[in-house]
Amino acid sequence: MAQMRICFIGDSFVSGAHDGECLGWAGRISAAARRRGHDLSPYNLGIRGETSAQIAKRWRAETEVRQSVQQEGHLVFEFGVNDAREVNGKRQLELAQSLAAVREVLSAAARWKPTLMVGPPPGTDQARNARVAELSTEIRSVCAEFSVPYFDSYGSLVTSSLFLADVKAVDDTHPSAAGYAEWAKLIDAWPAWRTWLP
Amino acid sequence: MAQMRICFIGDSFVSGAHDGECLGWAGRISAAARRRGHDLSPYNLGIRGETSAQIAKRWRAETEVRQSVQQEGHLVFEFGVNDAREVNGKRQLELAQSLAAVREVLSAAARWKPTLMVGPPPGTDQARNARVAELSTEIRSVCAEFSVPYFDSYGSLVTSSLFLADVKAVDDTHPSAAGYAEWAKLIDAWPAWRTWLP
């Protein structure tokens, strides 16, 4: 039985926006790990609307105060869709800006604590999806540089009719409880996650 | 239908330690509000083991980055048991230290955002319970000074055989899912909470 604190740091997909059950994928994979007998303390540090640059500014202070001598600390990041989102016709962060933030976060995180990265998911806006798919591929490369396991949410969910129908019914961006459950099922089966919490 | 972001700031009872469902009372009352049709974004800022003095240091920075121009911000605090807990025979915070921290937090919080305070719950250690009961009474007085509604968890749960049996079965301090559900049911019926989220 593993004993650990895990900080989940990211955007609205981490905080579970539009999930009527208030769990998101982070809450669901944490509850599943507890059902397998692990003593896991999850800390959900997702904030709606945040880009990688905003997360780069706050993640360290917020995760440092959540460490403990009693339980080993771990980090799981997820972000990217807000970077690729256009606001008033302008992409919020250019690809190079996103990758600079990803590199800044992951280089420090991976030196400090066991770290995983969950990639941004698809939605129903095809133009944005193309930007998210490109960003996801690039984040995967940065993760490889720092030996951080990467979960390809985009590739895993872009063929899921359940997930995409759910997102379409909500706001073209977020799933509801059913879509979060589908996403959580995939992450829960990810070998890198199961290495932490068999 | 109300649209708001609520930061829940506190200790392990906020983070939902020992809840197999990873919801705690904060997740349960948030999910219940969503079921009533409200567009609520809860942010769980509970940290295991923290005293009021530790919470006083971090609450402002962590809640400031969670505000949005789109959704009205609200604050709910809960802490106190760790203050009254003895570690190596010594109470972690003396009553006067706790009350100074409570006053510091609530005076700033209530000037800034709509604020509620949930009091610390009973456990099965009678000596500690006496200290928690005293602290709870004093926190209630500070809340009255700043017109912050106070939910008396101690008084509400000390007669609940379900809650106390659950706490006894866990670790003499925390409930499991069943106890959190009982506590959440009481807070969910609290008029001050329902004024925010009818």
Side-chain angles (χ1 to χ4, degrees):
Chain A
M1 192 188 86
Q3 200 184 45
M4 64 178 73
R5 293 185 174 201
I6 301 182
C7 290
F8 293 94
I9 309 113
D11 55 21
S12 56
F13 298 106
V14 173
S15 70
H18 295 278
D19 178 2
E21 297 176 23
C22 291
L23 284 165
W25 57 265
R28 284 178 174 78
I29 64 173
S30 296
R34 286 196 181 175
R35 283 195 295 273
R36 294 195 298 275
H38 299 294
D39 177 11
L40 166 63
S41 296
Y43 290 108
N44 191 314
L45 299 171
I47 302 184
R48 288 178 80 164
E50 283 209 335
T51 64
S52 57
Q54 290 172 299
I55 289 159
K57 280 187 206 147
R58 70 175 168 91
W59 77 273
R60 188 64 185 248
E62 292 191 352
T63 57
E64 271 182 354
V65 292
R66 284 165 176 79
Q67 302 307 311
S68 161
V69 290
Q70 279 96 37
Q71 296 111 13
E72 193 189 2
H74 288 62
L75 307 172
V76 179
F77 292 91
E78 183 280 326
F79 49 77
V81 169
N82 292 311
D83 293 27
R85 190 157 61 98
E86 290 186 345
V87 176
N88 302 324
K90 192 178 175 309
R91 182 176 171 141
Q92 292 210 96
L93 285 186
E94 293 304 323
L95 184 59
Q97 294 174 303
S98 294
L99 297 179
V102 172
R103 188 166 277 112
E104 180 191 333
V105 169
L106 294 184
S107 63
R111 271 197 308 270
W112 183 44
K113 297 286 173 191
T115 301
L116 299 178
M117 175 90 204
V118 171
T124 54
D125 174 332
Q126 292 315 320
R128 188 175 72 197
N129 270 355
R131 297 191 297 274
V132 169
E134 182 192 27
L135 177 58
S136 178
T137 302
E138 297 292 331
I139 295 175
R140 176 195 283 277
S141 299
V142 178
C143 284
E145 267 180 58
F146 300 109
S147 301
V148 170
Y150 184 70
F151 181 84
D152 180 6
S153 301
Y154 188 88
S156 305
L157 293 169
V158 77
T159 54
S160 165
S161 51
L162 185 158
F163 186 82
L164 294 175
D166 193 35
V167 165
K168 190 170 172 56
V170 175
D171 66 351
D172 288 320
T173 300
H174 300 92
S176 69
Y180 280 113
E182 173 83 356
W183 193 358
K185 195 177 67 181
L186 297 168
I187 301 173
D188 192 42
W190 180 28
W193 173 253
R194 286 300 181 108
T195 302
W196 288 4
L197 296 156
Chain B
M1 192 188 85
Q3 200 184 45
M4 65 177 71
R5 292 184 175 201
I6 301 181
C7 290
F8 293 94
I9 309 113
D11 56 20
S12 57
F13 297 107
V14 172
S15 70
H18 295 278
D19 177 3
E21 298 177 22
C22 291
L23 283 165
W25 57 264
R28 283 178 174 78
I29 64 173
S30 296
R34 286 196 181 176
R35 283 194 296 273
R36 295 196 297 275
H38 299 295
D39 177 11
L40 166 63
S41 296
Y43 291 107
N44 191 313
L45 299 170
I47 302 184
R48 288 178 79 163
E50 283 209 336
T51 64
S52 58
Q54 290 172 297
I55 290 160
K57 279 187 207 146
R58 71 174 168 90
W59 77 272
R60 188 64 186 248
E62 292 191 351
T63 57
E64 272 184 353
V65 293
R66 284 165 175 79
Q67 302 306 311
S68 160
V69 290
Q70 279 96 38
Q71 295 110 15
E72 192 189 2
H74 288 61
L75 307 172
V76 179
F77 292 91
E78 183 280 327
F79 49 77
V81 169
N82 291 310
D83 293 26
R85 190 157 61 98
E86 290 187 345
V87 175
N88 301 324
K90 193 179 173 311
R91 181 177 172 140
Q92 292 211 94
L93 285 187
E94 293 305 324
L95 184 59
Q97 295 174 302
S98 294
L99 296 178
V102 173
R103 188 166 277 114
E104 180 192 333
V105 169
L106 294 184
S107 63
R111 270 198 307 271
W112 182 45
K113 298 285 173 192
T115 301
L116 299 178
M117 175 92 204
V118 171
T124 53
D125 174 332
Q126 293 314 322
R128 189 176 70 196
N129 270 356
R131 297 191 296 273
V132 168
E134 182 193 27
L135 176 58
S136 178
T137 302
E138 296 293 331
I139 294 176
R140 178 195 282 277
S141 299
V142 178
C143 285
E145 266 180 58
F146 299 109
S147 302
V148 170
Y150 184 70
F151 181 84
D152 180 6
S153 302
Y154 188 89
S156 305
L157 293 169
V158 77
T159 54
S160 165
S161 51
L162 185 158
F163 185 83
L164 294 175
D166 192 35
V167 165
K168 191 169 171 58
V170 175
D171 66 352
D172 288 320
T173 300
H174 301 92
S176 70
Y180 279 113
E182 173 83 356
W183 194 357
K185 194 177 67 181
L186 297 168
I187 300 174
D188 193 42
W190 181 27
W193 173 253
R194 286 301 182 110
T195 301
W196 288 4
L197 297 157

